Amino acid sequence: MGRRWSDGRGKLIVQGAAGTVAVPLELATSYRARTKGLLGRDAVDGAMLLSPASSVHTFRMRFPIDVAYLDRDLKVVGVHTMKRGRLGLPRVRARHVLEAGAGVMAGWGVRVGVRVTVEGVE
């Protein structure tokens, strides 16, 4: 189930116990976009999906983030909050990494076992 996205914007759809949540999403699929990620920003509007990726770091970041590791089927295999200046260990089954401001993923219903959807990629 290979995915061929390009850098752009779309929506992250999370179907959790509280219902369906649609979140603005930025896709970073090129090497350059993945390398830059959220660096140099003071916040993120919604979330950013890094693909392909199996780990992230928060060196030189201005704010802490929630990180969700996704497998090839976009099923969440791990969720962590990372403080600034940390290095996340690679996840063996992770193929994509979802980043958002610290504390927001729990409100969206993102937790281990939940499958997310990416829609409307421009």
Side-chain angles (χ1 to χ4, degrees):
M1 188 176 214
R3 291 188 164 55
R4 296 285 180 203
W5 292 313
S6 58
D7 294 343
R9 297 186 178 276
K11 286 185 187 175
L12 176 75
I13 309 298
V14 182
Q15 296 199 12
T20 302
V21 177
V23 178
L25 181 69
E26 288 183 55
L27 280 88
T29 60
S30 68
Y31 176 78
R32 185 177 200 166
R34 287 191 318 267
T35 302
K36 183 174 181 192
L38 296 175
L39 296 176
R41 298 185 189 193
D42 293 321
V44 58
D45 178 28
M48 177 176 276
L49 181 69
L50 306 169
S51 179
S54 62
S55 68
V56 294
H57 67 82
T58 57
F59 299 117
R60 297 185 2 237
M61 290 199 58
R62 297 179 181 170
F63 58 97
I65 59 173
D66 280 349
V67 177
Y69 299 92
L70 310 175
D71 69 7
R72 67 183 70 229
D73 298 321
L74 299 181
K75 184 177 176 184
V76 179
V77 295
V79 180
H80 296 284
T81 299
M82 291 180 66
K83 296 179 183 178
R84 297 171 48 207
R86 302 288 194 253
L87 176 64
L89 296 175
R91 295 290 177 147
V92 175
R93 293 183 6 232
R95 298 293 179 265
H96 316 281
V97 175
L98 186 65
E99 299 178 336
V104 300
M105 285 192 188
W108 297 340
V110 175
R111 63 184 188 287
V112 174
V114 169
R115 182 167 286 136
V116 299
T117 308
V118 174
E119 292 183 354
V121 178
E122 299 173 1

